[in-house]
Amino acid sequence: MAEKSGGSKKLLWIMIILVLLSSAGAAAAIYMVIDQRDGSTENAELQQAMEREPPIFMRIDPFTVNLADDSYGSRLLYTGVTLRVGNDESRAILEEHMPQVRSRLLMLLSGKQADELTSTEGKQQLAQAIVDRLNVPLTENQPPLDLREVLFTEFIVQ
């Protein structure tokens, strides 16, 4: 009987050691999973904040412009323009100075000929010229505008 109790004690100690080791392993695994969640949550929040920034559009009412004369005589351009700006401050500045903005656009467009505007490349060049023209300060001490893109919502050359 003495031999059986000695073997039982060894078996009991082995079982206790195995339970302690498995508990330590489980605790380490739980710690690693929780640590990864915290890091991925912070990264996900940061990435979501960087990804999802809604665009700010500013619509300019459509207008008609007499184009420069070409071999076909007098031509007209009817166009609607929407600007994509980078921040609300740029949008507010443009809205406050809308008569100046429209005047600059009319002056720019009236100097163009119809054949310059009918190709895709011509429209892209016109969009860049609009950005360049509107980036010139409208008032003294004006912060720089953040113009991202010029979108033509209506464009008819006649």
Side-chain angles (χ1 to χ4, degrees):
M1 198 145 176
E3 286 182 24
K4 279 194 174 184
S5 80
S8 295
K9 284 185 181 181
K10 285 183 182 180
L11 185 59
L12 180 65
W13 280 109
I14 290 175
M15 296 285 284
I16 291 173
I17 290 173
L18 287 175
V19 168
L20 289 175
L21 287 176
S22 63
S23 297
I30 290 172
Y31 174 76
M32 294 171 96
V33 168
I34 289 174
D35 189 44
Q36 285 178 351
R37 268 196 206 156
D38 290 342
S40 66
T41 303
E42 290 172 8
N43 279 344
E45 289 173 3
L46 179 62
Q47 188 176 12
Q48 185 178 13
M50 290 177 64
E51 281 181 15
R52 185 68 182 125
E53 186 175 310
I56 301 170
F57 293 108
M58 187 185 141
R59 184 176 180 271
I60 298 175
D61 292 332
F63 46 89
T64 304
V65 180
N66 288 320
L67 296 174
D69 289 339
D70 59 6
S71 60
Y72 296 105
S74 183
R75 310 275 304 263
L76 294 175
L77 169 66
Y78 175 79
T79 186
V81 176
T82 299
L83 303 173
R84 185 170 69 96
V85 296
N87 55 44
D88 287 321
E89 182 182 20
S90 294
R91 180 180 182 166
I93 291 170
L94 290 168
E95 285 176 348
E96 288 172 5
H97 299 282
M98 186 53 67
Q100 286 175 284
V101 170
R102 287 183 62 86
S103 176
R104 287 183 182 186
L105 292 177
L106 288 169
M107 296 299 284
L108 175 68
L109 294 170
S110 65
K112 299 291 182 182
Q113 291 188 344
D115 59 344
E116 294 176 57
L117 303 176
T118 53
S119 69
T120 303
E121 183 180 296
K123 289 180 183 86
Q124 290 171 346
Q125 289 174 352
L126 177 62
Q128 185 58 48
I130 290 172
V131 169
D132 294 342
R133 183 69 57 101
L134 293 179
N135 274 329
V136 175
L138 298 161
T139 62
E140 294 180 21
N141 300 324
Q142 171 191 315
L145 295 175
D146 187 6
L147 293 175
R148 303 267 172 101
E149 189 175 12
V150 174
L151 305 164
F152 296 108
T153 54
E154 301 169 61
F155 203 90
I156 300 171
V157 177
Q158 200 172 27

